[in-house]
């Protein structure tokens, strides 16, 4: 009988540029851990890996939904109770002209759906640099050109408005604004947001307002919902339970689409077409949305206090080490320190991991201006762990950069 030699089954070429530095580096950490070295993880934004817990009333809401038989498919956009609660949240935020709301399997799924619904061949959206790498990964997957705009480190990591406008072409369909920002922790001013809205209005762009960290701010400067500043421009506001409500593994995200009805309608129809094609988000988990948004918010007091203390530990270290500088984060739970070292930042984080067991993510994995070197630190761990990790990083630099 003739035999046929089997050949490797290759992945699609469009995946060659898909990177996700946060998870990719964790693979190397697993190898280091196998040698017996204890890993100090400052790499991933999962509060439940540290001393944070999902609010009990949300757990009970999901458990009750399961006991009550809410285990089948839901409507594609989400259950009515959740959608009503999200609309109420939009109203409290001052978001007007809401055209639609939807629930998805985390904001990640919504980003995928929104970009795929908007972009035709050769079209793209502007994304921040540094950025949360999900956006460039999705754009690469759908074969859309990458078009980053710079965040200005010398101006508190605010978007560079002039540079954004210089990047707009006839193929530009939208702009991503992450506020509070991942990976820098920056919180944007009203003036900055109004300038972005003006660009979108003049160039007919959709704004994707990623505000998943909106309730995690530390100082007196408030978070301003971008969509609250304009009722005409088409804006998709992203939110969810992962961060402020400490339930990342539940994969519950939502979108609020606002703006002029005639402007938004065709795009809303496209989004809903893809929502229907993937059936629905997890049904029982959606029952946590209403109690999250309308129930007790007490946990946020403790969470914000912990994060402020840990932010301050991060800044105290950065201010003391002569090879490090850092713009103080005002929201989320990330810092993006700048390094003055002779090697590239990817080599640096790999060597720190191998030598000291401290896991951070290289700045080049998020994008950065040429010639600069950074890393992203997640300051979720307890104060003792953070202090130990930062001291280990300084020790590494003292030992290697004399």
């Amino acid at each position: 009988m003739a035999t046929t030699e089997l050949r490797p089954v290759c992945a699609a070429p469009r995946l060659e540029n898909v990177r996700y530095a946060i998870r990719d580096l964790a693979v190397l950490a697993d190898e280091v851990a196998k040698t017996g070295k204890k890993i100090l993880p400052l790499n991933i934004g999962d509060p439940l890996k540290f001393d944070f817990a999902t609010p009990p009333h949300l757990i009970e809401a999901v458990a009750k939904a399961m006991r009550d038989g809410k285990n089948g498919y839901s409507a594609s956009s989400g259950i009515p109770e959740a959608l009503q609660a999200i609309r109420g949240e939009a109203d409290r935020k001052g978001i007007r002209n809401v055209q639609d709301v939807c629930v998805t399997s985390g904001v990640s799924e919504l980003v995928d759906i929104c970009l795929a619904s908007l972009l035709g061949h050769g079209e793209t959206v502007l994304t921040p640099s540094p950025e949360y790498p999900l956006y460039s990964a999705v754009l690469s997957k759908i074969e859309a050109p990458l078009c980053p705009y710079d965040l200005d480190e010398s101006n508190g990591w605010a978007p560079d408005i002039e540079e954004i406008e210089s990047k707009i072409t006839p193929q530009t369909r939208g702009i991503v604004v992450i506020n509070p920002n991942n990976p820098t922790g920056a919180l944007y001013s009203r003036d900055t947001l109004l300038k972005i809205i003006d660009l979108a209005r003049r160039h007919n762009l959709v704004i994707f307002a990623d505000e998943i960290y909106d309730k995690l701010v530390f100082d007196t400067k408030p978070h301003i919902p971008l969509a609250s500043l304009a009722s005409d421009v088409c804006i998709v506001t992203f939110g969810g339970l992962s961060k402020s409500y400490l339930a990342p593994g539940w994969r519950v995200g939502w979108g609020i689409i606002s703006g002029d009805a005639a402007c938004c309608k065709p795009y809303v129809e496209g989004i809903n077409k893809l929502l229907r094609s993937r059936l629905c988000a997890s049904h029982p988990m959606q029952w946590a949305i209403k109690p999250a948004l309308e129930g007790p918010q007490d946990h946020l007091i403790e969470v914000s206090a912990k994060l402020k203390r840990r932010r301050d530990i991060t800044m105290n270290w950065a201010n003391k080490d002569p090879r490090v500088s850092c713009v103080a984060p005002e929201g989320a739970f990330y810092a993006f320190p700048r390094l003055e070292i002779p090697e590239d930042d990817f080599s640096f984080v790999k060597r720190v991991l191998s030598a000291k067991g401290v896991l951070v993510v290289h700045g080049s994995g998020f994008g950065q201006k040429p010639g600069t070197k950074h890393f992203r630190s997640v300051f979720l761990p307890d104060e003792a762990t953070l202090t130990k990790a930062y001291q280990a990083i300084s020790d590494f630099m003292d030992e290697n950069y004399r």
Side-chain angles (χ1 to χ4, degrees):
M1 179 182 294
T3 59
T4 302
E5 183 179 356
L6 295 177
R7 299 184 300 277
V9 178
C10 298
R14 66 178 178 274
L15 300 184
E16 290 179 3
N17 293 321
V18 174
R19 300 285 187 273
Y20 194 79
I22 302 164
R23 294 272 182 172
D24 291 348
L25 199 62
V27 176
L28 178 58
D30 290 341
E31 295 301 314
V32 173
K34 290 177 183 177
T35 68
K37 187 178 292 293
K38 180 177 174 58
I39 303 298
L40 299 177
L42 278 64
N43 68 309
I44 192 164
D46 183 349
L48 300 189
K49 290 187 178 297
F50 307 99
D51 58 344
F52 299 87
T54 309
H57 67 289
L58 303 191
I59 295 172
E60 177 53 34
V62 171
K64 183 178 185 302
M66 291 179 174
R67 290 193 300 266
D68 290 348
K70 310 295 188 183
N71 301 306
Y73 293 129
S74 75
S76 294
S77 291
I79 61 173
E81 292 82 355
L83 300 179
Q84 182 182 20
I86 295 166
R87 286 181 178 273
E89 178 79 346
D91 188 64
R92 287 189 292 276
K93 288 173 173 286
I95 300 175
R96 306 292 180 250
N97 253 5
V98 174
Q99 300 303 322
D100 203 6
V101 296
C102 61
V103 181
T104 54
S105 296
V107 169
S108 302
E109 184 186 42
L110 185 57
V111 168
D112 198 319
I113 287 172
C114 285
L115 295 181
S117 301
L118 181 68
L119 300 178
H121 180 70
E123 296 177 333
T124 194
V125 299
L126 302 176
T127 56
S129 177
E131 63 141 359
Y132 177 53
L134 168 70
Y135 291 94
S136 58
V138 172
L139 290 169
S140 294
K141 184 182 76 171
I142 62 176
E143 298 184 290
L146 302 182
C147 192
Y149 67 86
D150 286 332
L151 303 180
D152 185 356
E153 188 172 12
S154 67
N155 187 30
W157 289 116
D160 184 331
I161 304 299
E162 291 184 1
E163 206 240 349
I164 292 174
E165 186 155 28
S166 73
K167 295 288 184 71
I168 296 173
T169 72
Q171 287 71 46
T172 307
R173 299 293 310 281
I175 179 170
V176 174
V177 180
I178 307 174
N179 178 40
N181 185 261
N182 178 7
T184 68
L187 189 62
Y188 300 152
S189 69
R190 177 182 295 269
D191 181 62
T192 293
L193 298 176
L194 286 171
K195 288 177 179 177
I196 293 171
I197 288 169
D198 179 64
L199 286 179
R201 185 179 287 122
R202 288 191 285 112
H203 295 278
N204 197 35
L205 305 180
V206 177
I207 301 176
F208 299 105
D210 187 336
E211 298 181 356
I212 189 71
Y213 300 96
D214 63 338
K215 293 179 170 67
L216 301 179
V217 295
F218 316 130
D219 302 314
T220 56
K221 184 176 175 181
H223 173 264
I224 301 171
L226 190 151
S228 70
L229 303 178
S231 58
D232 56 334
V233 175
C234 186
I235 301 171
V236 186
T237 302
F238 300 152
L241 297 184
S242 292
K243 309 301 182 179
S244 297
Y245 294 100
L246 307 174
W250 289 4
R251 311 309 302 131
V252 176
W254 57 75
I256 302 165
I257 307 169
S258 59
D260 177 78
C263 172
C264 293
K265 183 180 178 181
Y267 183 43
V268 169
E269 290 175 349
I271 289 173
N272 277 282
K273 185 178 291 186
L274 287 185
L275 288 171
R276 291 191 296 270
S277 73
R278 81 356 163 184
L279 296 180
C280 66
S282 172
H283 185 179
M285 301 304 179
Q286 295 182 53
W287 288 90
I289 295 175
K290 181 179 175 68
L293 296 179
E294 298 179 0
Q297 308 291 307
D298 303 357
H299 72 284
L300 288 170
I301 298 173
E302 180 184 5
V303 169
S304 294
K306 283 184 178 180
L307 292 179
K308 186 177 187 302
R309 290 195 300 270
R310 295 167 193 189
R311 186 277 307 266
D312 292 345
I313 287 173
T314 301
M315 291 306 302
N316 288 338
W317 166 74
N319 290 334
K320 289 178 180 177
D321 195 301
R323 301 179 187 87
V324 180
S325 60
C326 188
V327 176
E330 297 176 298
F333 34 66
Y334 308 106
F336 204 61
R338 182 166 177 164
L339 299 166
E340 298 299 332
I341 56 175
E343 62 184 327
D344 65 273
D345 51 32
F346 186 42
S347 297
F348 170 79
V349 301
K350 288 192 296 182
R351 292 181 65 206
V352 166
L353 175 61
S354 297
K356 301 296 184 181
V358 179
L359 177 57
V360 294
V361 184
H362 48 295
S364 50
F366 299 89
Q368 56 192 352
K369 282 189 175 180
T372 64
K373 303 165 188 179
H374 299 81
F375 70 86
R376 189 189 76 166
S377 175
V378 176
F379 50 83
L380 285 169
D382 63 81
E383 287 89 337
T385 299
L386 274 179
T387 301
K388 182 178 180 181
Y390 291 140
Q391 184 60 54
I393 293 174
S394 288
D395 290 346
F396 174 86
M397 291 191 287
D398 288 343
E399 294 161 7
N400 289 273
Y401 309 138
R402 297 185 184 278

